[in-house]
Amino acid sequence: MSDAVDAHQVVVALDVGGTGMKCALVRPDGVTVRTERHPTNASRGPTAVVGTILDVAEGLAEKARADGLTPIAVGIAVPGVVDEARGVAVWSANVGFRDVPLRDLAVRRLGLPTTLGHDVRVGGLAEARLGAGRGTGHVLFVAIGTGIAAAHVVDGRAAVGAHDAAGEIGHILVRPDGPRCGCGRPGCLEAIASASAIGRRYAELSGATADAPVTAAEVAERAAAGEPLAGEVWQEAVEALADGLATGQALYDVATIVLGGGLAQAGDRLLTPLRAALHERMTFHREPRLVAAALGDEAGCLGAALLALDAVGVRDHQEKR
Ligand SMILES: [Zn+2]
């Protein structure tokens, strides 16, 4: 770890999602100097997607050099199952990866040390070190979108797990008689409280058709406007989330829970009732601070950069507590 961070150094960072890639050049102090977005076009198949990832990363490294900057590392975040130690994208439903040795492919193409990370874990890393959890040491980052996943970050490091599968908080059993989850079991948290589950539940009870789906954001809005059915569905989700987070707090005893993903954009419509429901569930546990994510959809890219910087031993002093 060097105290004198070279102001010309940058990391090439990519956050690869099912629909798009967020890409950036990030300085060791976490400042982004250039951003780009590219479509993933996952339907082309994993080989083509890998080709685009490598082209985009190489293009960013070249642009950095043209601007007088020195790319020192590459950080790539992908969804699904990621073997961080071997740098392999093991499996991903929405990008189609099956055992892709992405790290070695990037090293070969760019000649730079490369780190592969998991999208939610690196997002949590960024929120814990640069965002809403900054300065609090123990952070649970929970991303709520089509699914629910979490990252447990302690002193700036996200736990990966023995089998690269830490943080699957969406599959905590909260309602044994509840709807069936995508994993096959009934009653998982994400089958009740993910953004897609909330929209689905409202549609089911209101008789809305598949032609006019209702999003979780609309359910939140209708609930706030006093519509009883929306209020009921929203509260069901809040109670389930509080059960899941209370389990999380019992396991991890964090200082701060950061909520990210699409559902967190509901802001106080989510946070206010969720804080109350979580408070009710605390007995001897210390209540965590519950806050919305601060970095928006840049978190994955920043986290990929942080992971890469950690791997090459560069950590900016501004981040140290
Ligand atoms: Zn499940």
Side-chain angles (χ1 to χ4, degrees):
M1 262 175 228
S2 138
D3 269 28
V5 169
D6 184 336
H8 295 288
Q9 292 180 337
V10 285
V11 174
V12 176
L14 282 83
D15 177 16
V16 180
T19 52
M21 301 179 193
K22 290 144 206 156
C23 318
L25 293 174
V26 182
R27 289 195 330 217
D29 59 3
V31 173
T32 297
V33 294
R34 172 191 281 271
T35 59
E36 288 182 6
R37 294 201 175 210
H38 299 271
T40 301
N41 290 331
S43 60
R44 297 175 300 153
T47 308
V49 172
V50 169
T52 303
I53 290 170
L54 298 177
D55 289 346
V56 167
E58 192 173 41
L60 272 167
E62 280 165 8
K63 285 167 195 164
R65 291 189 187 102
D67 289 342
L69 302 170
T70 308
I72 55 168
V74 179
I76 304 172
V78 297
V81 180
V82 181
D83 184 335
E84 289 189 10
R86 290 194 305 129
V88 174
V90 177
W91 182 88
S92 157
N94 46 10
V95 188
F97 291 143
R98 299 289 181 273
D99 290 313
V100 178
L102 207 42
R103 182 187 62 196
D104 290 351
L105 291 170
V107 169
R108 214 171 299 152
R109 172 78 83 88
L110 284 97
L112 291 169
T114 300
T115 310
L116 188 67
H118 178 263
D119 58 351
V120 175
R121 282 199 292 271
V122 300
L125 200 65
E127 286 291 344
R129 278 160 61 171
L130 304 169
R134 187 176 178 145
T136 62
H138 292 245
V139 174
L140 186 66
F141 171 70
V142 182
I144 311 171
T146 44
I148 301 179
H152 180 214
V153 185
V154 179
D155 293 333
R157 306 236 170 236
V160 173
H163 314 92
D164 313 297
E168 292 290 355
I169 199 170
H171 302 281
I172 287 180
L173 178 64
V174 292
R175 299 286 181 271
D177 302 323
R180 192 163 293 276
C181 177
C183 77
R185 193 180 62 166
C188 289
L189 176 60
E190 74 174 40
I192 294 136
S194 66
S196 39
I198 292 169
R200 211 162 42 230
R201 177 73 173 148
Y202 182 84
E204 189 184 296
L205 295 178
S206 66
T209 60
D211 305 334
V214 181
T215 65
E218 283 163 348
V219 175
E221 215 165 281
R222 292 180 193 192
E227 190 198 299
L229 179 61
E232 190 187 306
V233 171
W234 190 250
Q235 193 58 29
E236 267 177 23
V238 164
E239 299 288 336
L241 268 177
D243 285 335
L245 295 183
T247 300
Q249 184 62 0
L251 292 171
Y252 302 128
D253 181 31
V254 294
T256 306
I257 295 178
V258 179
L259 296 186
L263 202 71
Q265 285 166 17
D268 286 340
R269 285 175 186 170
L270 176 66
L271 289 170
T272 305
L274 188 54
R275 279 192 195 110
L278 186 59
H279 179 78
E280 278 172 20
R281 286 158 174 80
M282 296 289 106
T283 55
F284 64 91
H285 304 115
R286 293 288 294 276
E287 199 170 328
R289 201 164 62 97
L290 185 66
V291 294
L295 302 174
D297 67 1
E298 278 183 50
C301 219
L302 287 170
L306 291 175
L307 200 64
L309 286 165
D310 289 351
V312 295
V314 175
R315 195 161 174 183
D316 182 63
H317 61 280
Q318 286 177 25
E319 242 188 77
K320 288 176 194 159
R321 285 177 293 276

